[in-house]
Each structure stands twice: as structure tokens, then as C-alpha cells.
Amino acid sequence: MRFVAVSALAGLVAAGGAVGAAGPWEGGRRVAERDRAAAGADRPDGRGEARPDGPGRLAAPPVLLGAGGRGAAREAGPAGLAAALEPLLKDPALGDRHSAAVYDAATGKRLHGSDEGAGRTPASTIKLATAAAALSALGPDHRVDTTVVTDGDDGIVLVGGGDPTLTARDDAGSGPQRAASLKELARSTARALKARGKDRVRVGYDTSRYAGPALHPIGTDENLAPVSALMVDEGRLDGSDRGTAERSTDPAADAAEKFAGLLRDEGVGTEGGVTSRRAGDRAERLAAVSSPTVAALVERTLTYSDNDIAEALARQTALASGQEASFEGAARAVTARLDALGLPGAKIADGSGLDRADQVSADLLARLLVRAAEPGRPGLRPLLTGLPVAGFTGTLRGRYGHEAAGRGLVRAKTGTLTGVNTLAGTVVDAEGRVVTFAFMASGTGDADAAQRALDRLAAKVADCGCRS
């Protein structure tokens, strides 16, 4: 029986990395949550308070347990799982329309379904589809460049490539996944100009890589800046790096103004104000900086439910697929990539899930995570390593305070809109088996109660042996 359990874990552990080894993003870095648990890290609850379950230690089961620790893995029994989940699915907190799908990650066998094929508004769980499409289209190692070119005379153009994490802050991080720095770009540009004997230039900026409206259909919103090929720090105006924030109404022009100021700091004068113009076909590159890899961007998107990066990934997918980099072109490109993965039937309206016109089924989300666990698809692993960990990281950090069975074992993408609550991810069950799940609820009246109901469902899967 031990062999069965090890086989079930192989798709996630061997290729995706154990949770502690790969870890999702935390404070700008990927951190092993097993180390956090071992160190007794306190977990803030929904009120922002630390709630240790013991003196100096957070009580949580090991993140991945072998078969010997929680029982020998057996062939999954759908009847047993159905008996465990169906009473919880009747919780009124889940609203008038809800669905569920649970799959064995190793075998791809569906263990449970409840209205699983019905299209529902996914909210931010649509980011799983966006991320999978981007990884398929671009590859996990792809990076997005922001460049400066000269098109003759005394003019230069800052050309946006579509990297919303480009930063104008002093600290861009360290290591291979550090953010691209606008200051470094200005410094390199100044060196190149001075080498040409130029110490004064006109500055333009080019956002032509993207097309269509920049404003999301929901309008101006603190959850998302206007979608532009050129922006710094996601257009945030308050110094934050996640969550809601006041945003620039013209992130491209603001980025160009900052760049011009940084050039002046480097001893290169600028003439007039910055202007929007397209770089010529024969423009010569002077300098460039690169974003973190698509894999790293996917992980950050999923861990913190980052809407700006999600929309950028959708547009990069469009560009790689020969589509126009607009909301419509990105929707077509993401849909095509899902179809190629054998996951048809999605209705995609945006990359972030803020648009209620998005429609996917619980079955599609759960099967998408099975695809990410398949040994033959290592490029999709960031879908798994980027999932928040219950009670420890990202959007699940403040949840699972009362669902100890799921804490540390549930890894899931959250989704929340008014009246919509969703959860899709992976969990290690009581027999050491890795399963994928998606729970979707529409028509909910109390978001907190709906989230608790979803957490109970995932925790029940963790606590269940899945036997009839």
C-alpha cells in the first residue's frame, strides 16, 4: 500500500517540489512554510491578531505526510467522499447555486462531483486558467523586457513590454527573480547616451504592444490599474505591493515622467515633457531590463491574487498566440490554450476574474490542477507551487483557524466577488493521497460564512480517507 501512496504523490512532489522546498511567495520571496511551522510562526486571524495554538508554536499537521504517518493509501472510494461532502454542500452559506469536483491527482479519476459541469462565475480562481495559458504559451522561463531605444536625432523612447512589476523603488529585491528596476534602466541609458556624446534628450514612451481599452469593464477600481504595456509598481500610488490601492489613471505617462527624472539624476538633461509616440521600425536599442520569469510571476499572481500581473499574463499569452493584446484577444488566446490542454468549455472575459462574465465549471478547474500534476507537464508546475497554503501564506494566511485538518495541507486559489465565493486547489488526504478540488458558490449573502463553508469542505477532504 505504501507504493500506492508514493505514486499518488509523485506528480506533485517529485516534479513540483515538496511544499517546503518550493514554497509560495511571502513578502516578495518564496519561503518554505515547513520552516515557518517549525519555527512556531504565529498566524494572524481575520482581525489581524496573532493566534498561536500553543506557547510559541502554531499547531499544524506536517505539510506532506507519508503513508505511514496517516494510514496506507488505498484506491479512492467516491461513495465515502460523497458521504463526507454532501452534508457540507447543503450549508445555506454556499448560496443557491454551488458545485464541487474532486479528482485523484495521480490517476486523474474523478472522486466526487456535484453539478460539476455547470458554468459558474469563478472570481479569482480564473487566474488558474490565465496562469496555465501563459505557462503553455510562453514557457516558465520567459521574461518580459522593458527597453529604451533611440530613433535618431536627440530623442529616445521608453518602450513598454508589459511588465507591471517594473519598479521605481530603491529596493528591487535580489537574486534571479528580482524585479526589473527603472533606476537601473535609467542608469544604463545614461551611460549609453554619454558614450555617444549626448547629455540632453527628448523622452517619449511607447505603449503600442497592447491594444484596445486600458480600462477594465468594471471601470476605475482600486483592485486594478488601467492595463498598459508600460507602468511601474502596478500603478500604485501608496507604496504598497499587494492588495487594494489608489492607482494612477495614466500609468504609462507616470512611468515615463519618473524615468525622465531618473535620467536627470544620472546627469542627462531632458527637453520638454514626455510624449507618447511609437518607436520607429529602425530604432536602435540602448538599454533594457527584464522581469522575473513567467513561473515567478505566476506564483506571485496565485499566492496574492494579483490582478495586475494576471491581466499582463493574459496579454502576453495573446501576443505569443498571434492575437491582439487586448481584453478580447487575450480571452481568445487563453480559451485556445485551455482547449489545447483538453479543457474546453470555458468562457473567458478577462485574466483576473474581476469580470462576472467569466464562466468556468468546477470540473474544469479541478482537472486543470490534475494537468499541472502530470509528470509530462513540468512547465505547469508553478500552478501548484504558487497556491497559497492554508493558515500560512497569501490569501489563505488568515483562514483555517478553526479547520485544523486542512491547515498546512490545503493549498488553494481563492475567489471572491460580491455574492460569489470559490476555492480550487490541492490537498493531501488522510491516506497520503494528493487530490485536486474545486468548490464554487454563487448567490452567497455572507462572504465570511461562505469562506468558512468552503474551508470546511476542503478540510473534510484532507480528513477523509476517500473510501466507501
Side-chain angles (χ1 to χ4, degrees):
M1 294 300 181
R2 179 180 176 83
F3 173 78
V4 177
V6 172
S7 297
L9 289 168
L12 294 178
V13 178
V19 173
W25 285 76
E26 179 71 354
R29 302 185 303 269
R30 283 184 292 175
V31 176
E33 53 273 349
R34 71 177 180 191
D35 294 339
R36 292 172 52 81
D42 292 345
R43 178 192 54 77
D45 69 2
R47 298 182 299 277
E49 301 167 351
R51 287 175 52 104
D53 292 302
R57 177 177 292 273
L58 177 67
V63 175
L64 288 180
L65 282 170
R70 303 180 73 202
R74 299 173 174 85
E75 176 66 19
L81 186 58
L85 293 182
E86 285 174 0
L88 298 179
L89 287 167
K90 296 177 181 178
D91 191 329
L94 293 175
D96 56 3
R97 299 181 305 282
H98 51 264
S99 54
V102 183
Y103 277 78
D104 186 310
T107 66
K109 177 181 179 180
R110 189 168 71 209
L111 306 179
H112 179 72
S114 174
D115 207 15
E116 69 279 3
R120 303 247 187 264
T121 300
S124 280
T125 51
I126 198 67
K127 291 182 175 74
L128 291 168
T130 303
L135 288 165
S136 297
L138 300 160
D141 297 326
H142 179 78
R143 296 175 187 264
V144 179
D145 288 348
T146 303
T147 61
V148 176
V149 301
T150 178
D151 52 5
D153 300 327
D154 295 318
I156 61 172
V157 182
L158 175 63
V159 182
D163 174 16
T165 66
L166 176 69
T167 183
R169 296 170 184 154
D170 291 331
D171 183 12
S174 60
Q177 300 298 356
R178 66 194 304 269
S181 170
L182 192 68
K183 291 187 175 183
E184 289 185 6
L185 184 60
R187 189 174 301 121
S188 298
T189 301
R191 283 198 300 265
L193 288 170
K194 291 175 182 178
R196 293 166 178 250
K198 294 184 178 181
D199 59 6
R200 194 167 188 83
V201 292
R202 291 177 289 104
V203 178
Y205 62 94
D206 184 344
T207 61
S208 62
R209 190 166 173 80
Y210 285 1
L215 200 61
H216 191 279
I218 63 172
T220 302
D221 194 275
E222 291 187 340
N223 286 291
L224 178 69
V227 183
S228 172
L230 177 63
M231 65 172 67
V232 292
D233 299 308
E234 300 184 345
R236 296 172 179 272
L237 300 178
D238 63 355
S240 65
D241 64 359
R242 69 190 73 158
T244 59
E246 184 182 359
R247 307 300 185 106
S248 167
T249 58
D250 192 347
D254 287 352
E257 289 284 3
K258 290 180 180 179
F259 178 73
L262 292 169
L263 271 182
R264 291 190 290 270
D265 291 344
E266 296 294 330
V268 175
T270 60
E271 296 179 353
V274 298
T275 57
S276 174
R277 63 191 182 93
R278 188 163 185 164
D281 293 337
R282 296 183 179 181
E284 180 183 355
R285 178 181 288 202
L286 292 177
V289 289
S290 299
S291 74
T293 63
V294 166
L297 294 175
V298 161
E299 288 182 327
R300 185 169 181 84
T301 300
L302 299 180
T303 301
Y304 292 118
S305 201
D306 193 299
N307 297 311
D308 299 276
I309 302 177
E311 294 296 353
L313 289 172
R315 276 167 167 69
Q316 295 296 325
T317 301
L319 290 168
S321 304
Q323 296 281 352
E324 179 183 71
S326 62
F327 283 107
E328 294 79 8
R332 290 191 294 269
V334 171
T335 301
R337 294 290 170 175
L338 293 175
D339 290 347
L341 287 170
L343 300 168
K347 180 183 178 183
I348 305 296
D350 68 356
S352 60
L354 292 171
D355 196 325
R356 292 174 182 271
D358 291 319
Q359 293 283 295
V360 299
S361 67
D363 196 69
L364 185 149
L365 292 174
R367 288 195 295 132
L368 175 56
L369 291 164
V370 171
R371 291 283 188 275
E374 290 174 356
R377 301 184 191 271
L380 295 182
R381 283 312 175 267
L383 286 182
L384 306 177
T385 56
L387 293 172
V389 179
F392 287 87
T393 58
T395 56
L396 286 184
R397 181 178 176 85
R399 289 168 61 168
Y400 286 80
H402 301 289
E403 302 298 333
R407 194 182 305 143
L409 296 176
V410 172
R411 302 190 65 148
K413 180 70 198 76
T414 56
T416 305
L417 292 171
T418 301
V420 174
N421 298 91
T422 58
L423 191 69
T426 67
V427 66
V428 182
D429 73 8
E431 295 180 337
R433 179 184 297 105
V434 177
V435 299
T436 72
F437 66 84
F439 302 120
M440 309 182 74
S442 296
T444 58
D446 183 331
D448 291 337
Q451 288 178 357
R452 289 193 296 270
L454 294 173
D455 293 346
R456 281 191 291 272
L457 285 164
K460 178 59 71 173
V461 177
D463 202 36
C464 181
C466 300
R467 288 178 289 156
S468 58

